[in-house]
Amino acid sequence: MEKPVSSKNGNDYSAADIQVLGGREAVRRRPGMYIGSTDQRGLHHLVYEIAYNSVDEAMGGFCNRIVIDLHADNSVTVTDNGRGIPVDVHPSTKKTALETVLTVLHAGAKFGGKTYQVSGGLHGVGSSVVNALSEWLEVTVYRDGKKYHQRYERGIPSTEVEAVGSANGTGTSISFLADEEIFTTLEYDFDTIAERLRETAYLNKGLQIQIREEKTDRDLTYYFEGGISGFVRRLNRNRAVRHRQPIVISKPVNNTIIEVAMQYNDGFTDNTLSFANCVNTIDGGTHLTGFRSALTRVLNDWAHRTRLLKDDEPNLVGEDVREGLTAVVSVKLSEPQFEGQTKGKLGNIEIKSHVESAVSEELNLYFDEHPEDAKKILEKCITAAKAREAARKARDLIIRKSSLDTGTLPGKLADCSEKDPALSELFLVEGDSAGGSAKQGRHRRFQAILPLRGKILNVEKATVDKMLSHEEIRTLITALGAGIDDDFEPLRLRYHKVILMTDADVDGSHIRTLLLTFFFRHMVELIHRGYLYIAQPPLYRIKTGREERWVFTEQEKVEVLAGLKSKASKSELQRYKGLGEMSAEQLWETTMNPATRTLLQVTIEDAAKADEVFSVLMGGEVPPRKAFIQAHAKNVKNLDI
Ligand code: 0RA
């Protein structure tokens, strides 16, 4: 309203103008730098960037209602009832505050001493980026009894800020149409945006957020009086909870608002979400660290004070106090620093101690007033600690047995005489009869045989201590001699070739999946080092007179038979169903002799695939298993589960 825009067509570009144009060009040249991508995700960022400026206004306590309209022409309007973006002219830039916000990158600026916080969106880049990436953008401000309007095209003002009427209340309304020159799609996904806004409404109690979609007439309003307490209830909605009410902590420290809601359930996982200025910090950061250390300390104090833990018993560790925990940790601060590759981690150092002291104090107060909740929670944590201890003991036992004392190698193992692991091979053979042939047929100097009986074990459902108590698994770990999991020591491995030798049938492939899964989960280093192999026994023997051929695939069989026919000699085809059908000599010659055999080296992808198949087949969840079996029913006739 003050400055005619047309003057820009003259020769009097100011330094500020050039900076603005430079910013606009930079954003349009490399949009991904500012909004992540130019697909639907990036498109959604435009909405979040604009909406989060209104959320900032709400966080300041100046606004309690935000409406997002997705129009049929793919334009979007975000309206709030905040104070309205100021329209007064800044003395040094000679521009309105409104235009500055919409044209200057990172305009986290101060107008006349008042701090205007930019936070919100993924990169916190603000409205000017949305403006630069929009075919058009129109803003209407309601302030001081007047209605002001301005329009932009691809980030350049096409009108001045003009007073266009009168207004009763205050607020801001921004409409924009994303630029089809920039984006690969202009279609918004209502559910994705609604989900994000639901979260935002939980994080700002008392704030009403409405989202409407013209194309479908969908219209949702989120408003949560309970704030993050309701968020935690919702996250726990399908679980049995340990205590009826979520514990709520809310405390301002200096200029930071710290809020936590937490409630334990009967599950085993930690489900803690953290936010800084309503942005989900998926990689945590200082606020989460502060929360965790306070939680561990307070629960240990209480456990000792109430004698649930005796003086001589070890303290609970973080893992114990987070089992079955659902929590939301939300901080609101004036200059959040988002770190890491995806900017998903809060970096402000001072926040750790602020959160830690707020949570310690408030949680202690809560437990003073609700000792019964403290007891229920502590009982759960102590059970978790005991389970952890039992697993550790089981593991230690195995490791002690397996590593030091070669005199107690399992009786079933037919070891080799070679002591250098680099020259030694271990065959894991399915079944005792094949094991017998392998023992006879092997080269004793460098080949060891361990027969494994039956379905070794359902590793998926078993807990670590149960799994380790299983005979076949103990034998295997002991024979390898290097321990498992975090205690795995590759230097102690007794063999640098571990070869799975199973039948070419359904049972064989099942046992192979089991073994691959076991190695993938508990000795992944062995796979990374390239020590794990799969033997390739033949499918057929074709005999022609004195000549003998081994055939390893169906394709090869067809080719060999065709070749023999042309010679018109009589040949005999014998199919091998299992390793047990081969004589010791045949097994040596076809499958074990390093000079003639083929071994497949197991890659991490192979093992991961097996693990996935295994999880679906054996995992606790029924629906995916059912779907998998139905999808594969045609291929697998004899699926044995
Ligand atoms: C700075 C100062 C004032 C309001 C705002 C920014 C503001 C920005 C946005 C962005 C979307 N909606 C908004 N609402 C308000 C007000 C300063 C004052 O009146 O004292």
Side-chain angles (χ1 to χ4, degrees), residues 166-230:
S166 59
N168 283 326
T170 60
T172 304
S173 182
I174 295 179
S175 302
F176 63 92
L177 176 66
D179 194 342
E180 62 183 358
E181 288 176 6
I182 305 276
F183 291 92
T184 57
T185 173
L186 297 187
E187 300 285 334
Y188 295 90
D189 182 62
F190 182 87
D191 292 317
T192 305
I193 295 175
E195 183 57 36
R196 173 84 180 256
L197 295 173
R198 188 218 316 266
E199 211 170 82
T200 307
Y202 272 124
L203 293 166
N204 294 278
K205 83 169 140 203
L207 172 61
Q208 188 179 329
I209 303 182
Q210 184 173 20
I211 171 166
R212 297 187 290 215
E213 186 177 50
E214 201 180 342
K215 282 179 202 169
T216 57
D217 261 344
R218 287 213 273 177
D219 183 342
L220 287 177
T221 301
Y222 297 118
Y223 169 79
F224 303 111
E225 252 169 6
I228 57 171
S229 171

Side-chain angles (χ1 to χ4, degrees), residues 28-42:
R28 289 182 63 85
R29 236 191 332 265
R30 306 186 66 183
M33 290 262 296
Y34 299 86
I35 53 161
S37 61
T38 55
D39 54 10
Q40 194 184 52
R41 270 180 89 102

